[in-house]
Amino acid sequence: MESVNQTASVTEFILLGLSAHPKLEKTFFVLILLMYLVILLGNGVLILVTVSVSRLHTPMYFFLGNLSFLDICYTTSSVPLILDSFLTPRKTVPFSACAVQMFLSFAMGATECVLLGMMAFDRYVAICNPLRYPVVMSKVAYVPMAASSWVAGSAASMVQTSLAMRLPFCGNNIINHFTCEILAVLKLACADISINVISMGVTNVIFLGVPVLFIFVSYVFILTTILRIPSAEGRKKAFSTCSAHLTVVVVFYGTILFMYGKPKSKDPLGADKQDLSDKLISLFYGVVTPMLNPIIYSLRNKDVKAAVRNLVSQKCFTQ
């Protein structure tokens, strides 16, 4: 009963954000707002193109449409809260709203990890087994594959969020972050979080380690197949079909490794600077990657580039 009463007493969390650096808040408000608008526009256009252009009704572009929708959902689950915290003197978020935001952010991140693995498999079949591609990647196959990504990510998030929100919080409700990031919330618990740590470790292996290994193996076979193509033009054409996905994978996982692989400073002054650095890296990770995805696919994919150009010209012509 005591634990339940302690948990119930915490009705809201305070987001620290950039409170210690008020001069930066207005600058970052404008910057993050502009990046968020680019995310909505870029990914919205990609979704519109993949849905409306019939020749893009293929597994690769179906996955791309899912990725764009996922990026919009991921940023929308956190960016409005971040923007509000930049302008509000008291940066509070209700307990229930914190749980919802935590669930959505974790779910979208886990789903993207699985979805990128599915997209790697699609490119593997297309390049290594092109004759079987229509059979292996039929609509009966690729729609459930995408759906399973969303279900798996949501299920993992539900487990982690439930475990975190059932912990007792004994008065310290200040989250040293921009959002209700699950690791930052776990630090506030006044109970043993070993189950949460173990569960997070298992989840990271499943949703980070396994997809990375799967993507790596897929691209080993893809590159081996491409190098066997006799003509330079054939090799270039084959690689161009997967270069955009490979670039997105490198940006996505490269940023994660940079965020969590940096050594921690032991100097108190250096720790303060690193704390600000970690916050800003985390902030930009949440908006830069979703912003770059449509740009990468637009610049490195001729079909998408042509479809966007045709769509824009049609709109201008009708006006």
Side-chain angles (χ1 to χ4, degrees):
M1 283 297 294
E2 184 181 355
S3 295
V4 173
N5 290 335
Q6 287 174 337
T7 305
S9 66
V10 178
T11 59
E12 63 181 19
F13 289 102
I14 299 173
L15 301 173
L16 205 57
L18 289 176
S19 300
H21 307 274
K23 293 182 180 179
L24 294 176
E25 289 188 320
K26 287 183 173 56
T27 301
F28 279 101
F29 174 83
V30 175
L31 186 60
I32 299 302
L33 177 60
L34 291 175
M35 295 173 76
Y36 181 53
L37 293 176
V38 172
I39 289 168
L40 295 179
L41 178 63
N43 286 287
V45 168
L46 270 185
I47 294 172
L48 180 62
V49 165
T50 56
V51 170
S52 60
V53 179
S54 58
R55 76 169 182 274
L56 298 185
H57 292 174
T58 63
M60 182 175 73
Y61 296 111
F62 178 77
F63 288 130
L64 178 57
N66 274 262
L67 182 64
S68 295
F69 181 68
L70 189 151
D71 284 338
I72 290 176
C73 293
Y74 177 73
T75 51
T76 302
S77 70
S78 58
V79 170
L81 181 64
I82 294 171
L83 293 175
D84 180 66
S85 72
F86 285 150
L87 299 180
T88 308
R90 183 170 174 79
K91 313 168 197 309
T92 60
V93 56
F95 189 91
S96 57
C98 186
V100 171
Q101 192 270 318
M102 183 190 298
F103 167 78
L104 290 174
S105 294
F106 196 100
M108 297 304 106
T111 301
E112 182 158 358
C113 291
V114 180
L115 192 61
L116 289 173
M118 299 289 188
M119 295 173 77
F121 178 74
D122 171 72
R123 292 300 82 207
Y124 161 75
V125 178
I127 293 174
C128 299
N129 296 284
L131 297 179
R132 296 192 62 204
Y133 183 75
V135 177
V136 175
M137 294 303 296
S138 64
K139 193 171 184 178
V140 178
Y142 69 76
V143 171
M145 286 171 65
S148 65
S149 301
W150 289 89
V151 171
S154 299
S157 182
M158 181 64 73
V159 171
Q160 298 304 323
T161 304
S162 299
L163 288 175
M165 287 305 168
R166 289 175 62 186
L167 292 169
F169 298 94
C170 308
N172 183 12
N173 64 339
I174 300 176
I175 299 176
N176 188 20
H177 211 274
F178 295 103
T179 62
C180 296
E181 200 268 338
I182 190 167
L183 295 178
V185 173
L186 289 177
K187 292 178 181 179
L188 305 181
C190 54
D192 182 20
I193 61 170
S194 58
I195 293 178
N196 301 75
V197 172
I198 294 171
S199 178
M200 282 287 291
V202 173
T203 302
N204 286 340
V205 170
I206 295 172
F207 286 89
L208 283 174
V210 173
V212 167
L213 181 62
F214 186 80
I215 291 169
F216 175 76
V217 172
S218 296
Y219 272 99
V220 168
F221 284 108
I222 288 171
L223 291 175
T224 303
T225 302
I226 290 176
L227 292 175
R228 289 175 181 169
I229 298 175
S231 67
E233 185 64 27
R235 289 193 296 270
K236 182 180 178 181
K237 184 178 180 181
F239 186 74
S240 67
T241 63
C242 58
S243 60
H245 173 258
L246 184 59
T247 305
V248 168
V249 167
V250 170
V251 171
F252 181 77
Y253 286 107
T255 310
I256 291 176
L257 290 174
F258 180 75
M259 280 174 56
Y260 295 106
K262 293 191 310 173
K264 301 295 181 182
S265 174
K266 296 181 180 180
D267 176 57
L269 183 60
D272 290 339
K273 291 181 178 179
Q274 187 174 36
D275 180 58
L276 175 61
S277 172
D278 290 344
K279 286 182 181 179
L280 294 180
I281 292 171
S282 175
L283 175 63
F284 280 102
Y285 164 74
V287 291
V288 169
T289 305
M291 184 184 70
L292 288 179
N293 286 350
I295 296 174
I296 291 169
Y297 271 96
S298 297
L299 293 177
R300 302 188 70 86
N301 189 293
K302 293 180 180 179
D303 291 335
V304 173
K305 194 186 300 184
V308 171
R309 192 183 300 118
N310 291 337
L311 188 64
V312 171
S313 63
Q314 288 175 8
K315 293 291 183 183
C316 294
F317 182 75
T318 54
Q319 289 177 355

